[in-house]
Amino acid sequence: MTTHFDTIIIGGGPSGLMASIASASNGNSTCLIEKNKQLGKKLLISGGGRCNVTNNVPYEEIIKHIPGNGKFLYSPFSIFDNQSIIEFIESNGVPLKEEDHGRMFPVTDKSKDILNVFLNKLSELNVSVQTETTVNSIEYDSETKLYNIITKQQSYQCTHLVISTGGKSVPKTGSTGDGYKFAAQFGHTITELFPTEVPILSDEPFIQSNELKGLSLKGIALSVLDKKGKPVITHEMDMLFTHFGISGPAALRCSQFVYKQQKKQKTKQIKMAIDLFPNKNETELMKEVTNLIAENKNKLIINSLKSILQERFIQLLIDRLNIDIETTGHHLKNEDKIHLVKTLKHFSFSVNGTKSIEDAFVTGGGIKLKEINPKTLESKLQNNLYFSGELLDIHGYTGGYNITSALVTGYVAGYSTTLK
């Protein structure tokens, strides 16, 4: 048995949901096929279960936070943008609130309220939803110009096909890379896939010994260094030491640059550096440390510095600089003080990669963008075939940027199927 639709969307994540709604809103008979039991699993877990649905900042700011080919989105943004997302959600009964850095959340802090907007809209537009349905193969009939989508249960036929199956990150949500196989079948190039927004690994002795495990550093500047020791990227945020390396917002944002430097430098070991006081220059910090030590000249250095840094980190610094743990402020050599301040401004250490793509929040790499029309998201290699979301070689930082890309490209792909 074969059922015919104008448009079929494969993948019921954020991008596929939006593509289905855009297609059906413009009069196409539309079918959404999803292999999971429920739609929008990734939407439910985004933003820690609160759903950071988009970001309320200007285009330029969004593009800046999508280091993986964000400029491709200029054309899609001219059709549907972050403000369109906000309007879509709020006009369907779910008010949003703005938090730090423009992040938009439902006022209720419940991601299921966002998902329900999409589910209600699908129902209202009579989209045929097929869950627990895995696509085994896709065939294209060049005579009838129809796509045949074969599943275990039955086959479906359509004029326009949108593939929105996600990347390879968070596979428990159903993102297992199926779409890359289908894209390649139609001649598309898949650039190398790699983990982004993922914790970083280190085999440094102080990491392996767990001496800093669980230690959080607030408002530091974390950098990935090139082979000359110059920063290629710096993020000023919080970070966390773990039993395997580093995590937290700053580390996640630096992770893709660790991968890229490994490729560029052709080595596994990459240097990173922490500036513990990014808002003070070395002269200002030297003055502060000098005053602190002078005020507590009879105290051990480790105790004097507790007011500006956690004890475990001070201990590590003192060990690294070969300063006797029993040294008081009165006996601290000037050269040791100079080295201490320099290290506070530039604590360098080695990392040797990141956790796997399955552990990442976002997949780097994907379908080569030169093969996609940015105005329609249609394949340049195959008529009436569209791609959207994380399948494309677009990746951003966490903070509502990836979901914005997914929803915008999903809308444009779905809307474009109605223009022919």
Side-chain angles (χ1 to χ4, degrees):
M1 177 187 165
T2 303
T3 310
H4 181 86
F5 294 92
D6 294 328
T7 305
I8 289 177
I9 290 92
I10 304 174
S15 204
L17 289 166
M18 189 56 96
S20 303
I21 288 164
S23 168
S25 293
N26 284 286
N28 275 4
S29 61
T30 304
C31 176
L32 174 59
I33 298 175
E34 168 56 49
K35 68 180 179 183
N36 284 322
K37 194 172 183 178
Q38 67 177 129
L39 298 170
K41 284 184 90 172
K42 199 170 252 189
L43 204 60
L44 285 174
I45 64 167
S46 77
R50 297 195 299 135
C51 193
N52 181 186
V53 72
T54 190
N55 204 289
N56 189 25
V57 292
Y59 284 8
E60 292 296 334
E61 199 63 24
I62 290 180
I63 300 298
K64 206 186 340 176
H65 284 82
I66 303 178
N69 299 316
K71 288 180 180 173
F72 179 86
L73 294 171
Y74 276 121
S75 283
F77 274 154
S78 68
I79 300 163
F80 191 84
D81 62 10
N82 54 329
Q83 296 306 321
S84 311
I85 295 168
I86 293 168
E87 188 183 333
F88 170 75
I89 299 294
E90 295 199 320
S91 67
N92 281 285
V94 176
L96 299 176
K97 60 178 176 179
E98 184 173 338
E99 295 191 5
D100 58 319
H101 310 295
R103 296 182 306 149
M104 300 298 289
F105 292 91
V107 169
T108 59
D109 283 331
K110 291 176 182 171
S111 56
K112 69 176 174 55
D113 292 340
I114 300 291
L115 178 57
N116 283 337
V117 166
F118 288 92
L119 299 182
N120 293 339
K121 205 72 183 166
L122 291 176
S123 175
E124 181 189 313
L125 294 166
N126 296 313
V127 173
S128 173
V129 176
Q130 307 297 322
T131 53
E132 295 184 273
T133 304
T134 300
V135 174
N136 295 329
S137 63
I138 299 170
E139 295 166 1
Y140 180 70
D141 188 324
S142 53
E143 286 186 20
T144 62
K145 297 186 177 173
L146 293 174
Y147 290 94
N148 291 301
I149 289 87
I150 293 107
T151 73
K152 188 179 176 182
Q153 292 89 333
Q154 67 169 92
S155 60
Y156 302 84
Q157 214 170 53
C158 64
T159 307
H160 308 278
L161 177 62
V162 182
I163 302 179
S164 307
T165 50
K168 291 191 80 172
S169 312
V170 204
K172 66 180 181 182
T173 63
S175 296
T176 51
D178 306 344
Y180 301 121
K181 177 183 70 178
F182 298 137
Q185 177 190 328
F186 290 102
H188 280 282
T189 308
I190 312 301
T191 65
E192 187 176 359
L193 305 176
F194 59 94
T196 77
E197 298 300 299
V198 67
I200 297 169
L201 307 174
S202 174
D203 52 15
E204 283 272 10
F206 74 85
I207 295 288
Q208 298 302 311
S209 68
N210 282 339
E211 59 195 277
L212 295 184
K213 180 184 170 185
L215 183 74
S216 175
L217 298 175
K218 304 287 184 189
I220 53 85
L222 181 67
S223 302
V224 180
L225 309 179
D226 64 16
K227 61 182 176 185
K228 291 181 179 174
K230 303 284 185 200
V232 292
I233 191 74
T234 300
H235 283 294
E236 196 174 318
M237 303 176 93
D238 300 344
M239 65 164 279
L240 174 73
F241 288 101
T242 70
H243 64 285
F244 56 76
I246 57 172
S247 190
L252 296 183
R253 288 199 171 187
C254 283
S255 60
Q256 62 181 285
F257 298 94
V258 169
Y259 167 84
K260 288 169 184 171
Q261 282 302 304
Q262 284 183 314
K263 293 283 175 190
K264 193 169 183 179
Q265 296 183 34
K266 296 181 177 151
T267 178
K268 197 173 181 185
Q269 297 288 340
I270 298 298
K271 283 284 184 188
M272 293 189 75
I274 302 169
D275 180 348
L276 289 134
F277 298 95
N279 297 323
K280 295 183 177 112
N281 62 34
E282 209 170 290
T283 306
E284 290 167 336
L285 187 59
M286 174 60 84
K287 191 175 178 183
E288 184 177 339
V289 168
T290 300
N291 289 341
L292 200 56
I293 288 169
E295 287 164 14
N296 300 279
K297 61 183 180 184
N298 295 319
K299 280 188 179 179
L300 298 178
I301 295 300
I302 195 165
N303 293 328
S304 299
L305 298 176
K306 271 186 198 172
S307 64
I308 61 167
L309 197 59
Q310 292 99 318
E311 187 174 343
R312 278 194 285 163
F313 205 92
I314 303 165
Q315 174 81 59
L316 179 68
L317 289 182
I318 288 172
D319 287 347
R320 177 175 276 212
L321 296 170
N322 294 317
I323 299 171
D324 189 330
I325 192 71
E326 297 298 321
T327 302
T328 62
H330 188 65
H331 293 98
L332 182 68
K333 295 176 190 167
N334 197 49
E335 64 190 70
D336 285 339
K337 187 170 64 176
I338 291 167
H339 288 149
L340 177 65
V341 169
K342 283 188 182 298
T343 309
L344 289 170
K345 288 293 291 176
H346 189 90
F347 177 84
S348 68
F349 60 104
S350 290
V351 298
N352 61 340
T354 68
K355 284 204 156 193
S356 73
I357 202 164
E358 289 78 17
D359 293 314
F361 285 107
V362 182
T363 302
I367 298 169
K368 198 171 189 177
L369 297 178
K370 283 184 178 173
E371 300 167 357
I372 305 292
N373 183 335
K375 291 187 173 70
T376 62
L377 278 301
E378 184 178 10
S379 164
K380 290 180 181 177
L381 313 180
Q382 174 75 27
N383 284 342
N384 296 328
L385 176 64
Y386 305 79
F387 298 99
S388 73
E390 209 174 336
L391 262 184
L392 299 166
D393 184 9
I394 301 172
H395 58 272
Y397 298 135
T398 52
Y401 304 105
N402 290 292
I403 198 168
T404 298
S405 172
L407 294 172
V408 167
T409 55
Y411 179 89
V412 173
Y415 172 74
S416 300
T417 68
T418 68
L419 301 178
K420 289 187 176 184

